């Protein structure tokens, strides 16, 4: 399947809960009731405590607006990691957000089309490289390169949190099903 910004479906390999089976505890764990329509989130709802912790972490990384890295560049980090890990579904979601929040559709599309080594400006190159480095074993991130470009500790932390979270999220999604 090709990397894209199009909205994709996802087919689970384990049967998710049906929407009408979701209890109040499950719905609370979803954090956002609209997620009940997603088979991925309904599958994760089988363990409400883990889903709730996962979703709160996701929301804090990407929606916390008090300083740090702009939302679009957090989405860029998630897109780069997803591209590198081969998670077409996550890359499509976060590429849409990155393009929307940065208004750099061509640069995001180049990342999807050509991969994480595609030409980018210095700031995006440093964010992409740091994010992708966390996919390696052992992980390594060039914090100095980010700092040289003027990112403060909170912005660096935001980039690395987004990348680390999506290294985990990609593996979880890819082990439970596949995009369609």
């Amino acid at each position: 399947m090709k990397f894209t910004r199009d909205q994709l479906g996802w087919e689970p390999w384990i049967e998710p809960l049906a929407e009408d089976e979701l209890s109040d505890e499950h719905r609370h764990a979803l954090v956002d009731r609209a997620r009940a329509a997603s088979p991925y989130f309904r599958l994760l709802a089988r363990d409400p405590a883990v889903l709730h912790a996962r979703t709160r972490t996701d929301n804090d990384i990407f929606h916390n607006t008090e300083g740090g890295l702009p939302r679009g560049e957090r989405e860029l980090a998630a897109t780069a990691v997803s591209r590198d890990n081969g998670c077409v579904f996550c890359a499509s979601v976060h590429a849409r957000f990155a393009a929307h929040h940065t208004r750099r559709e061509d640069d995001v599309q180049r990342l999807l089309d050509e991969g994480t080594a595609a030409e980018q400006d210095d700031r995006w190159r440093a964010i992409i490289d740091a994010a992708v480095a966390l996919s390696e074993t052992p992980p390594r991130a060039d914090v100095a390169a980010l700092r040289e470009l003027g990112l403060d500790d909170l912005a660096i932390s935001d980039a690395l949190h987004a990348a680390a979270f999506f290294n985990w999220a990609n593996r979880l999604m890819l082990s439970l099903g596949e995009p369609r």
Side-chain angles (χ1 to χ4, degrees):
M1 181 172 275
K2 179 181 162 189
F3 285 93
T4 180
R5 287 193 328 241
D6 294 342
Q7 192 160 6
L8 301 174
W10 184 78
E11 184 71 31
W13 296 325
I14 300 169
E15 190 65 31
L17 296 171
E19 282 191 66
D20 62 1
E21 292 179 293
L22 296 173
S23 67
D24 288 342
E25 180 185 20
H26 293 124
R27 291 186 186 283
H28 174 75
L30 290 167
V31 177
D32 176 356
R33 288 197 175 286
R35 290 183 175 187
S38 164
Y40 176 68
F41 286 107
R42 290 196 322 272
L43 176 56
L44 296 182
R46 289 188 174 278
D47 190 335
V50 170
L51 173 59
H52 192 259
R54 175 244 172 259
T55 303
R56 296 283 309 223
T57 301
D58 182 15
N59 285 348
D60 191 48
I61 289 169
F62 291 99
H63 300 280
N64 183 343
T65 59
E66 297 185 22
L69 202 62
R71 166 89 187 266
E73 290 177 338
R74 296 175 200 201
E75 299 290 353
L76 170 67
T79 304
V81 166
S82 298
R83 176 63 170 87
D84 190 58
N85 288 335
C87 191
V88 174
F89 184 90
C90 292
S92 74
V93 170
H94 294 282
R96 284 193 306 277
F97 286 134
H100 170 76
H101 288 286
T102 65
R103 308 226 185 286
R104 293 178 59 174
E105 292 183 8
D106 291 344
D107 295 325
V108 172
Q109 192 61 48
R110 187 169 43 259
L111 169 62
L112 292 176
D113 292 344
E114 299 175 26
T116 58
E119 185 177 332
Q120 302 288 351
D121 67 28
D122 290 344
R123 183 178 172 102
W124 275 34
R125 169 63 30 227
I127 291 168
I128 291 167
D129 289 348
V132 169
L134 294 181
S135 299
E136 298 176 3
T137 303
R140 57 159 189 81
D142 190 355
V143 172
L146 296 169
R147 197 167 271 125
E148 286 173 18
L149 290 166
L151 276 70
D152 63 18
D153 289 343
L154 183 55
I156 292 168
S157 178
D158 286 342
L160 298 181
H161 280 128
F165 183 80
F166 265 84
N167 268 297
W168 173 78
N170 293 159
R171 284 162 177 76
L172 182 62
M173 180 164 263
L174 290 170
S175 66
L176 294 173
E178 61 190 347
R180 55 176 166 83

